[in-house]
Amino acid sequence: MTTVKINDQSISLEVGESVLEGLERASIDVASGCRAGTCCKCMLQADGAAPSGSQRGVRTTLKEQGFFLSCQAYPDTDLVIQSARVPDPVTATLDHIEMLSEDVARLRLRFSDPSAMDSTSPVFDYRPGQYLDVLHSSKGDECYRSYSIASLSNDGFLELHVRRIPGGVVSGWLHGQKVGAQIRVRGPFGQCFYLPDKIERKLVLVGAGTGLAPLVGITREALRQGHRGAIDLVHGAVEPSGLYLREELDQLAAEHPQLRVYRCVLREAGARELEGPLDQIALRVAGPLKQVTAFLCGDDQIVRKLQRSLFLAGVPSGEILADPFTPAPA
Amino acid sequence: MTLYERLGGEPAFEAAVDEFYRKMLLDVRVARFFDDVDMDGQIAKQKAFLTFVTGGPANYTGQAMAVAHQHLLEQGLNDEHVDVVLAHLGDTLRELGAASGDVEEVVELANSLRGDILGRTNIAQ
């Protein structure tokens, strides 16, 4: 008999009973739909390996994180299901801060214990392209904002690109911090990251504004993991002054001939930028779309538009990884 | 062997569902009903639908179908829209290599859901 653990509760599965049925029998509320492994509504996350056969049709980045379909799960060993609990905050030290453009700062955070970011350590184990929350107390109110992670696990620090939002509580506070400041973060979150399962495939990464941060992490991670296909990175902004990290990315492209960097703006394009809507330019540079995996990051509306344009133009839905950023209410 | 299996099962269906959903989004007559901000969620629903009507692994309940379309009735969903979707369904299956007899059978089965979709059957049972 196998046992399923969830939220400190243990349920013994009966013979022939799926995880979904077992949880329902124990009066645990699990959303479900088709109950046949198609609609993905009953998806849960395993702590460790998911039961065999229960990940058919699940997106690869979710599979990697242990997500499985509970209606298709008949475990032959005990199973622990991760609760939806938000991870506890951890404190990091600001190690480096510099301006990358008029309003974007690069912040690098380190944990005092260098093993904290070791892949074997539970403190902060992330994949480049995921995001974290920065927590901040202001006038007695605790608030948080999400920022994507631009660094790699073996960089030894967490890199964030923070745009100063006019009137922004957290971004304004972060911009005013000095090296040595203590900053509380929690995470990681998100499913927009690189997996080395199709190393010949062309990657198209499109981001607007600080949507560049996760894309830099994903690009460097793909190169580190020996990705063989071409990588096109398209960074968009309203005007050229909104584009940043030019020299570093050009340097990276010079070192890796498979990487091409495009910059595009809606207006006032100079010799180094393309002018026009980001989705149209991304489609123009991307080439045959059926063979493309796309990573889309940035403002919510822009990402939705990119997702739709690339899908309609032929990128398979399962090959579009989107990380839409929803700004916090003012 | 079900049509679902004969058409290649799940791998073939990934592409078929994408194609079916693209046809809907590109058809001005029905696009607004499918213009969900959550594209992944929409695709999962279309996949469940296509799997069911081709005899693949899916449990169908008329009640769920009725509930899922209730808000679209308020937006004017009617028989003409169902006709458009059925035409796209037939085209998608033909492009996938289904024989015309199979296509007819599937479209007929899908058509039998019309009452549930358009709220003509009692959902409070």
Side-chain angles (χ1 to χ4, degrees), chain A residues 288-301:
Chain A
L289 292 160
K290 276 189 179 149
Q291 277 77 49
V292 158
T293 299
F295 295 87
L296 313 173
C297 301
D299 177 72
D300 182 66
Q301 279 191 327

Side-chain angles (χ1 to χ4, degrees), chain A residues 8-28:
Chain A
D8 301 328
Q9 215 177 324
S10 285
I11 296 126
S12 296
L13 289 183
E14 287 171 2
V15 176
E17 192 176 44
S18 70
V19 170
L20 176 63
E21 289 160 345
L23 295 178
E24 285 175 337
R25 184 168 48 79
S27 305
I28 293 168

